Amino acid sequence: MKIECLDRPGARPTTFLVEFKGNTILFNCPLEIKALSKLADIDDVSPSTPPSMGNMGFNQLDTILSRIIHNTKDIQGNDTTLLDRCDDGCVFRTVNFSLVDLNQIDVVLVANSELMLGLPFLTEYLGYKGKIFATEPAIEFARQRMEELVAYHGRQGSFISPESALHFSQVGSMNRRVDEQWRSLYTLRDIRLCMQKIKPVRFNEHLSLYETTTLVPYSSGYSLGSANWSLEATDRKIVLMSTSSIVANRHPALFDMTIMEKADVVLVSDVRSGEQNDTESIRKKILSHTALTLQSQKNVLFPISMMGNIFDLIGDLARHLKSLHMSIPFYVASPVARRSLEYANILGEWMTAGHQDIVNMATKPLEHGQLQEEKELFAYDSLQDAIDIKEPSILFTGDYTCLKKGSVVSALEHWGKDQRNLCIITDPETLLSQDIPHSRMKIISLILNTRVSLWDVGSILATACRDAPPPHIIIPDMLGSDRFKEKWEMEHPEATQLHTMNPGESISIGFKNKMEMIVISEELAARLVPEAAQINGVVYAIAPITGALAMYNNNYELQPITEPYDEYLLKPTQIAPFNNNDT
């Protein structure tokens, strides 16, 4: 088998191409987001003079998305330059598919909603037609996040022709960035068509891939519907472990360790650095800072994703403020705020056992539902829709990656005049660019990173694979990986081969196949005549089988012999003893 990391240098490894049992599997398809700090820092060229194609290194996706057109016109017919259209603060790109033959990919497996945001580029622009599997919550939350991105960073309208200059990279006239494949965002139409191509699955559901490989998703504990995947063949098992969490007191279904049992290869990705998990102490700091700010009659702003940590954070804050006898209103402002909050509370079966018990009592499993019913939490598409915001208050805004778009901008402008107001950054993916809107508001970073570390992975493997550690473990080459490798090999001498991988690298692992599954064709099975035979006192029905072995797409089938020549070769013959005098 072969595993290749498709992520770009410097990015955290999350995307892999896996070749196993004759099948090619793409694991995850994320979207990389970059904030443009200052347009003046990027070299500009005249829009009427296209850059040299020979120096730009375009791949197929670049050709589709960044076709250079002279003297383009906007939708209204007005002459404008590409730079005039670059009004967004962020640009986007997928992993580098330039060296990948997409026609050879049999299936795309998705770990969670965050790691599938690049799928519209793959399906609607590169033309991938194969299968895509993800859990139902991951699909819906990804749809909401994509639509939120389009609301803040996309173009008006639901369709833009690929021939249009509006498909230029938002820095399409800026040479220095084009060869890095940055581009403008997809459209609402792209999202809708892409989502229709994804097949929803459930935890522990067995999916057959050409009858040679079984694909099974297991809960990863990170977010609602987040999954690790196992690839299982007759005598081999590969585990694809992506973003996972074992942090206690959270709402998603717990990490399912049974995925590690009898694994031959474990691919580990998207882990955090460091050994100690300080999530609990970070939670306490957030509660403390929030309470102190509110007690001084000031406001607290959270630029945070509308899915994931926000559901636990609202509950933590509500309980803490209640214990302090404080009645503070909560506001959530995002184009997908209402849908996200409502959808999360109907996913009880994807949560922990404790949350499922709450559902059985006819109560909403997440506390924001109760707060909404009691008129203590209000959701708006934007702050412009909020007629009367009472202060002091707590405000959650979406699009945490860029602090220059959406409701967070209005909040920073309104509350930014008072340095006693507080903005708390909790998402590790928040882009703290240099040109955040000017504000005197206090901004602190208290990152709630619930991902497992390499050391957590070691504990998981030691627990789940106590009798037989996996023969092969692949980890990202990151800070602490050398020390982890040394410790693991010392505790498991000669039991495991531990590999490290960087973006752009590949690893090949050779297997000596113990056995292969062979299916008997219906026609041959109908010809069998079982006879009773007693072995060790047990009666069996046994039938001799003679047939021709056929192989197609890594499937083995025993079929009836149709050629007389083949039947003659299979007949037993008498072999004369070897004689040294024979010539």
Side-chain angles (χ1 to χ4, degrees):
M1 67 165 294
K2 180 181 178 182
I3 298 178
E4 180 180 2
C5 182
L6 300 181
D7 296 285
R8 301 173 187 274
R12 73 179 196 266
T14 59
T15 315
F16 300 89
L17 199 66
V18 181
E19 297 177 9
F20 178 62
K21 289 291 182 180
N23 302 309
T24 301
I25 300 160
L26 176 64
F27 186 43
N28 295 325
C29 186
L31 183 69
E32 190 176 350
I33 304 175
K34 183 180 182 66
L36 295 178
S37 56
K38 290 183 179 180
L39 294 178
D41 291 342
I42 304 177
D43 297 332
D44 190 14
V45 297
S46 170
S48 62
T49 306
S52 172
M53 296 293 287
N55 297 327
M56 297 172 66
F58 279 130
N59 63 9
Q60 184 183 5
L61 185 56
D62 295 311
T63 304
I64 296 174
L65 296 181
S66 302
R67 193 184 305 271
I68 303 299
I69 300 177
H70 295 274
N71 300 323
T72 55
K73 294 185 177 182
D74 60 15
I75 298 176
Q76 289 75 26
N78 300 321
D79 293 327
T80 57
T81 67
L82 294 175
L83 185 57
D84 292 333
R85 291 196 184 98
C86 187
D87 57 353
D88 276 349
C90 293
V91 287
F92 308 83
R93 67 180 180 184
T94 60
V95 299
N96 190 358
F97 286 113
S98 60
L99 301 179
V100 178
D101 184 357
L102 297 182
N103 294 322
Q104 297 300 315
I105 297 178
D106 297 294
V107 65
V108 178
L109 303 180
V110 175
N112 57 65
S113 59
E114 296 175 7
L115 297 181
M116 60 189 292
L117 300 181
L119 280 178
F121 283 133
L122 182 67
T123 61
E124 306 313 308
Y125 295 89
L126 287 179
Y128 172 73
K129 303 297 183 183
K131 301 175 181 178
I132 306 174
F133 293 120
T135 64
E136 186 176 327
I139 296 172
E140 179 56 31
F141 281 128
R143 185 201 313 274
Q144 294 177 16
R145 176 62 177 142
M146 291 175 188
E147 292 177 0
E148 183 183 49
L149 286 171
V150 169
Y152 290 141
H153 305 287
R155 304 294 177 182
Q156 296 298 319
S158 60
F159 174 72
I160 302 174
S161 168
E163 297 296 324
S164 169
L166 294 182
H167 268 309
F168 284 2
S169 162
Q170 289 178 325
V171 287
S173 61
M174 308 171 194
N175 268 338
R176 195 161 63 110
R177 298 299 182 202
V178 171
D179 59 352
E180 296 178 3
Q181 302 170 10
W182 294 107
R183 57 185 59 83
S184 55
L185 195 58
Y186 37 68
T187 67
L188 292 176
R189 180 178 184 271
D190 298 329
I191 297 171
R192 186 178 70 255
L193 294 176
C194 175
M195 293 294 105
Q196 294 173 356
K197 298 177 173 69
I198 306 175
K199 176 177 172 54
V201 298
R202 308 185 70 80
F203 290 150
N204 303 307
E205 180 178 349
H206 287 60
L207 310 168
S208 179
L209 183 61
Y210 299 123
E211 298 183 1
T212 61
T213 304
T214 301
L215 314 174
V216 187
Y218 294 77
S219 174
S220 74
Y222 177 68
S223 60
L224 292 172
S226 65
N228 295 319
W229 287 82
S230 73
L231 318 178
E232 302 176 16
T234 306
D235 60 338
R236 298 295 174 194
K237 181 178 179 180
I238 313 300
V239 172
L240 306 180
M241 179 180 176
S242 188
T243 325
S244 301
S245 178
I246 56 174
V247 175
N249 301 321
R250 300 181 68 241
H251 66 282
L254 300 180
F255 181 94
D256 190 345
M257 291 192 182
T258 61
I259 190 176
M260 300 297 179
E261 295 175 357
K262 299 180 180 180
D264 294 285
V265 178
V266 176
L267 171 65
V268 179
S269 64
D270 202 13
V271 295
R272 61 174 176 82
S273 59
E275 297 185 30
Q276 300 298 323
N277 191 320
D278 57 354
T279 302
E280 192 59 35
S281 64
I282 293 295
R283 277 179 170 177
K284 292 179 180 178
K285 290 180 181 178
I286 291 174
L287 298 180
S288 176
H289 281 285
T290 301
L292 288 174
T293 302
L294 296 172
Q295 286 173 344
S296 63
Q297 298 300 302
K298 298 303 173 183
N299 308 282
V300 182
L301 169 65
F302 288 92
I304 190 173
S305 169
M306 288 293 104
M307 53 216 73
N309 284 335
I310 186 174
F311 304 134
D312 292 315
L313 190 55
I314 290 176
D316 291 343
L317 288 168
R319 288 189 298 272
H320 184 64
L321 296 177
K322 185 177 181 180
S323 69
L324 299 176
H325 306 288
M326 298 178 65
S327 179
I328 301 295
F330 291 76
Y331 299 95
V332 185
S334 166
V336 297
R338 291 188 181 91
R339 276 192 294 159
S340 177
L341 294 174
E342 292 173 1
Y343 183 67
N345 255 326
I346 64 172
L347 297 175
E349 61 186 302
W350 299 88
M351 300 182 188
T352 64
H355 286 85
Q356 292 180 23
D357 291 339
I358 296 176
V359 174
N360 295 333
M361 295 186 293
T363 304
K364 293 183 178 179
L366 299 175
E367 294 191 43
H368 65 256
Q370 187 69 21
L371 294 174
Q372 285 180 292
E373 292 178 357
E374 297 174 355
K375 304 299 182 182
E376 295 180 14
L377 186 148
F378 307 89
Y380 301 102
D381 291 342
S382 69
L383 285 182
Q384 283 69 30
D385 298 331
I387 300 175
D388 181 23
I389 293 184
K390 299 178 181 179
E391 299 184 8
S393 63
I394 299 174
L395 171 63
F396 299 91
T397 61
D399 196 18
Y400 56 97
T401 55
C402 183
L403 303 184
K404 299 182 294 182
K405 285 285 182 177
S407 297
V408 66
V409 176
S410 301
L412 287 171
E413 291 176 349
H414 181 66
W415 289 341
K417 300 174 184 179
D418 192 334
Q419 60 185 0
R420 292 172 296 177
N421 289 321
L422 177 64
C423 175
I424 302 180
I425 306 296
T426 61
D427 272 285
E429 304 306 315
T430 300
L431 303 175
L432 294 175
S433 56
Q434 295 181 355
D435 56 344
I436 293 176
H438 178 69
S439 174
R440 297 179 59 194
M441 190 177 190
K442 184 179 180 181
I443 300 178
I444 61 174
S445 180
L446 294 172
I447 303 300
L448 279 173
N449 193 344
T450 60
R451 295 180 177 92
V452 296
S453 68
L454 283 178
W455 307 97
D456 294 328
V457 173
S459 299
I460 292 170
L461 291 173
T463 302
C465 311
R466 185 177 293 105
D467 297 331
H472 297 273
I473 301 175
I474 304 173
I475 62 174
D477 188 358
M478 57 184 291
L479 183 65
S481 59
D482 290 339
R483 196 153 53 90
F484 173 81
K485 182 177 181 180
E486 180 181 351
K487 183 176 184 293
W488 180 268
E489 292 176 343
M490 181 178 64
E491 295 176 350
H492 306 83
E494 301 181 0
T496 300
Q497 187 174 355
L498 205 150
H499 315 261
T500 57
M501 176 181 281
N502 285 302
E505 295 181 348
S506 63
I507 292 176
S508 296
I509 298 175
F511 287 133
K512 294 181 180 179
N513 291 339
K514 303 172 186 176
M515 62 184 72
E516 289 288 352
M517 182 176 69
I518 298 177
V519 177
I520 302 174
S521 70
E522 293 183 6
E523 183 180 356
L524 181 58
R527 300 182 183 183
L528 299 181
V529 182
E531 298 178 358
Q534 188 173 6
I535 303 176
N536 297 329
V538 180
V539 178
Y540 296 91
I542 298 176
I545 300 178
T546 302
L549 183 64
M551 183 182 75
Y552 179 73
N553 275 349
N554 257 22
N555 292 322
Y556 297 88
E557 185 178 62
L558 201 61
Q559 302 174 348
I561 296 174
T562 57
E563 297 293 334
Y565 178 73
D566 293 338
E567 189 169 8
Y568 168 77
L569 292 177
L570 289 170
K571 287 182 178 180
T573 58
Q574 294 292 332
I575 301 177
F578 180 77
N579 191 330
N580 289 332
N581 295 326
D582 291 343
T583 58

